[in-house]
Structures are given as C-alpha cells and as structure tokens.
Amino acid sequence: MSVDTVSLTGWGRTAPTTAVRFRPRTHEEAAAAVRGRGPRGVIARGLGRSPGDAAQNAGGSVLDLTGLARIGGVDAAGAVRCDAGVSLERLLRVLLPLGWLPPVVPGTGRVTVGGAIASDLPGLDHRRSGSFARHVSALELLTADGEVRTVLPGTALFDATAGGLGLTGVILGATLRLRRVPTALMSVSTERAEDLDDLLARFTSGGDRLPYASAWIDLMARGRAAGRGILTRGEHATPDMRPAHAGRTLLSPRSGGARGRFRLPGCPPVPGGLFGPAPAALYNEVRYRGAPRARTGELRPVGAFFHAADAYPDANLLYGRGGLVRYRFTVGYGQEETLHRVVRRIAGRRSPAVRAVLQRFGAAAPGGLSFAAPGWSLALDLPAALPGLARFLDDVDEEVAAAGGRVCLAKDSRMRPEAAAAMYPGLAGFQELRARLDPTEAFRSDLSRRLGL
C-alpha cells in the first residue's frame, strides 16, 4: 500500500486541503488504514469526480480506492460483484459486449461504483428505475472497528450508507443487479422548446414511453424566451433499428464510450475563466439555434448518449482559477413556480451558465441523505469567482427549502449547515445511527465538518 501527503480538491477545484492519502490494493490494507487512522479521521475517495469537498479530509486521511478494481462474472440472474474502485465507464465497457448494462447510468462514467452508492446517484430514467443503490443486492462495508460487514437492503445501515457520502464506513465492493439491453445503440429523439413552460410540457407529454430524458436549458435567455431548451429522450435500440452497415456495433465495446475526447493538454485553468456573460450568451444562442426543431430515431452509441460530457474531461479548467460551483437542486411537482423563479433569477443576473441540465425524478429512496425526490431537478455550473455568488446561492437555498426542495449534498461545496438541516428531514436519524455505529467519528470529510453531518 502506497502512502503520500497530497493537496486534494473535488472536480470543481475549490477549497483545496491537504491529507495523507492511502492507496490500498486489498481489503486487508484498507482495514489497516482505517485502524491506523489519526485523530482527524478518514474518508474514502474514488476518482475525485464530486465537484465539492465530499471526498476531502483536511489534516486527516483519505483512502483512495481506485486500486480495488476487480469485476466478477455475471451470473444467470444478471448480477455482478465488483470492487468499489471500478469506474462505471469501465463497467459499461466490460458488460455491454455481454448484453448487459449497469443498473443506473448517470451523466458521467468517471465515477466509481463506491461513489455511485455513497452518492446514491440518479440516472436519466429515475422515474422508472430510481437511484443507483436501489439495484444493489449486497455491499461490503468496512466499519470503524476495522471489520468488513455484508450489508443488505432493507436494513438501517444499508439505507444510511446509500447516499451517506462515506460517513458510515468504506464501501469495498457491491453486488449489482444489471439490465439486459438488445444492442449497444440508443434511439434518440431531440426537440427544441421555446420557453420553460413549453419545455416542461414536452417533458410530460407522452408519459414515459421513452424512458431516458434530460434537457439542456439556456439560462442566459431572458424575457419570453427564459428557460428555453433542448429536450433529449432515448430508448435502447432494437436490432431492427440499426442501419445495414452497423452490424458489428450491436454489442461492440467500441460503442460503449463517449465519442472522442477533447483534452486541453497541459493547459492550466484560464485565469479569468473562458465564459463571461457575452461569450456565454453567444455560445448558448449557437447551441440552441443549432439543435433540430424536432428529430426522432437518431442512433447513438450507448456511451455517447449517457456520457457525452466525458468527451470534455478538462472542462472544469474553463471556469477560471477559482474553479466552478455545481448547484443542483430539486423541487416537487406542483412547485413549478419556484423553478420558474430560480431560472428567471439566474437569467436576470446574467450569470454565465453554459451547462444546465433539467431532469424529472420519481420516488424517493429511503436513505436519510439521498438526494432524489419526486419532482424537477436542475443542475448548473457557475464560475466560483463570480462576485456575490455565495450570497446569491444562499438566497436560492432559502427559496428551494421553502418549497420543500433540497440541494444535492454530493455536489455541494458552499451550503450552510442550517440550510442542509432544513432540506433533509432524515438528517437527525442519520446522525443518531452514525453516533451509535461510529462514536469516535472515524469517518469524516470536509463536507461533514462544514455541514455538521
């Protein structure tokens, strides 16, 4: 097991802190690191894709689990056991040629299985499939005493670990229930919406005939065009949908990843950020006008459909030296006016938002800190150095909380503890369980200290 001292941030590159990093290759080495932790505790870390500080531990220890990356065989029932350090991108590459897909596929493949469970990530078909942990039939959890437990769904410990941000223990491995897919292609429909009302109506029209859906919103558009966007929906293509020349792409591993990768080799963060209000507005205008008014039946590889953003792995460098803040919230059905107000406030402020994704969520998970709940979810990225951003987002927090909504803790880098307590009614129960299981607070993170989790 290698050990070093490093400065770490989340993908948003805000608030770097220094910790001792352990890189175990076996469960025994991971247990030894937990037993030998210092007074500042330990937290698990995967690929560091969380935009905030959930996988940082200032002055303490961080357990880098990327060395635990074994994938077992798929059994007859469609289940696979894999280590927590396996990335969803690799899992997709391995499973897709066999006709299987991970149970829930979020918007990036650069997240580990352990991270997907600890964040209880939702996918594009949450209304049908729920979040990631719903499809975990067992997990192996390293607890504060250095022992490894098998934890099953329906138990209080499982519910607290799913979405628990690594604060109940270190997830070492899990058994996942997979889904069968007929091909490695998606049949995709795209349509433009003129404003937010139009976009919401298009989302709900036709029910869930196409299970996967998300929309990009132009948060620079104002007036009558406020909230305009591009809705993308998809379903798994069947063999009869493929073009004649695409016979080898049916379950090809080559079609499992995002098409191409645009890197900025050796490029440091752009000092002031690439996107000011004017360039961001121009970019959004071009993107909106360049989308088809309506198109159906476009075939895309599975990876390109789900993980399009992974084609730009260095996009976080474009937000300036201060990094980016990812703000993701959800409000319930019937609270659309709150969504309208937030969109209008962002547009009126001329905040340079070029990434903004809207989704629909279904039933909530039982985890006390799980994010997804029935309603609308909006995620956006903003330069962290924007003047007045902290106060502005504090005000939005209050509006979201007043509407019964919540902000995603796994993405957060700046929320106040009183806001988190107001948004998550299950927090008190989570804290009580954690106090019983881990009275010395072996598992801690910058996020947990900041929010009092």
Side-chain angles (χ1 to χ4, degrees):
M1 176 170 58
S2 65
V3 183
D4 57 358
T5 300
V6 291
S7 177
L8 296 170
T9 71
W11 195 72
R13 300 185 298 103
T14 58
T17 56
T18 301
V20 178
R21 178 175 57 185
F22 294 84
R23 289 176 163 170
R25 295 287 177 179
T26 65
H27 289 190
E28 292 75 20
E29 289 183 348
V34 168
R35 292 191 191 102
R37 65 187 179 272
R40 296 283 287 180
V42 61
I43 195 69
R45 182 181 177 94
L47 292 169
R49 192 68 181 195
S50 171
D53 52 2
Q56 297 170 223
N57 186 21
S61 302
V62 168
L63 210 57
D64 182 331
L65 297 180
T66 53
L68 299 178
R70 294 180 294 269
I71 302 174
V74 180
D75 67 19
V80 64
R81 191 270 166 200
C82 54
D83 284 346
V86 173
S87 74
L88 298 189
E89 181 181 49
R90 179 170 165 243
L91 192 61
L92 191 150
R93 288 201 308 268
V94 169
L95 295 176
L96 197 56
L98 304 176
W100 297 102
L101 201 65
V104 167
V105 186
T108 175
R110 292 192 55 77
V111 62
T112 60
V113 168
I117 298 170
S119 302
D120 201 14
L121 290 179
L124 299 184
D125 64 337
H126 187 270
R127 283 173 56 82
R128 283 193 182 184
S129 300
S131 298
F132 196 91
R134 175 179 170 183
H135 305 274
V136 174
S137 56
L139 58 85
E140 297 144 41
L141 187 70
L142 174 61
T143 50
D145 56 8
E147 299 300 319
V148 179
R149 304 187 189 187
T150 298
V151 185
L152 301 178
T155 63
L157 182 54
F158 186 97
D159 290 344
T161 301
L165 305 170
L167 298 176
T168 62
V170 179
I171 299 168
L172 296 176
T175 301
L176 311 178
R177 294 187 297 272
L178 308 175
R179 67 174 54 170
R180 268 285 185 193
V181 292
T183 72
L185 297 171
M186 302 294 295
S187 177
V188 182
S189 298
T190 307
E191 53 191 300
R192 265 179 13 201
E194 297 179 353
D195 55 32
L196 186 55
D197 281 329
D198 185 24
L199 184 59
L200 299 183
R202 290 172 185 269
F203 250 113
T204 55
S205 65
D208 293 320
R209 184 181 62 81
L210 299 179
Y212 303 101
S214 68
W216 169 79
I217 294 185
D218 181 2
L219 291 179
M220 301 296 292
R222 294 185 289 181
R224 295 174 61 182
R228 69 182 181 179
I230 304 167
L231 174 62
T232 303
R233 291 186 279 197
E235 62 181 334
H236 293 285
T238 56
D240 60 289
M241 294 179 179
R242 75 189 191 282
H245 65 276
R248 289 192 297 175
T249 70
L250 282 181
L251 291 170
S252 167
R254 290 181 176 272
S255 55
R259 285 179 288 185
R261 294 203 174 185
F262 177 77
R263 287 193 173 272
L264 305 173
C267 178
V270 181
L274 183 65
F275 293 111
L282 177 60
Y283 171 88
N284 284 6
E285 181 72 22
V286 170
R287 180 171 181 177
Y288 179 76
R289 297 296 176 189
R293 290 187 178 275
R295 179 174 60 198
T296 60
E298 178 195 9
L299 294 180
R300 296 184 196 173
V302 164
F305 176 77
F306 287 107
H307 299 154
D310 288 350
Y312 305 93
D314 301 321
N316 58 340
L317 301 180
L318 303 178
Y319 288 82
R321 295 193 187 279
L324 67 91
V325 169
R326 178 161 295 171
Y327 190 74
R328 187 175 195 184
F329 70 93
T330 183
V331 292
Y333 298 117
Q335 295 292 335
E336 285 78 8
E337 183 51 38
T338 299
L339 180 63
H340 274 274
R341 284 196 299 269
V342 172
V343 167
R344 289 196 297 266
R345 289 180 69 175
I346 295 170
R349 196 175 183 271
R350 301 296 286 164
S351 297
V354 295
R355 181 195 178 277
V357 179
L358 183 70
Q359 290 179 241
R360 293 175 77 201
F361 284 163
L369 300 187
S370 290
F371 166 64
W376 300 97
S377 168
L378 178 62
L380 59 140
D381 290 347
L382 294 169
L386 280 178
L389 181 62
R391 177 57 187 273
F392 174 74
L393 292 180
D394 284 346
D395 291 344
V396 178
D397 285 347
E398 293 179 3
E399 189 154 8
V400 168
R406 58 184 61 167
V407 170
C408 182
L409 299 180
K411 310 292 185 186
D412 180 58
S413 60
R414 33 67 45 196
M415 189 163 46
R416 296 172 299 172
E418 57 270 26
M423 294 175 186
Y424 285 85
L427 176 57
F430 175 85
Q431 291 169 323
E432 291 173 7
L433 177 66
R434 187 176 171 221
R436 291 198 308 271
L437 291 173
D438 183 13
T440 64
E441 294 188 8
F443 302 108
R444 298 184 231 172
S445 65
D446 291 354
L447 175 75
S448 72
R449 278 188 285 266
R450 176 168 57 82
L451 295 180
L453 303 180

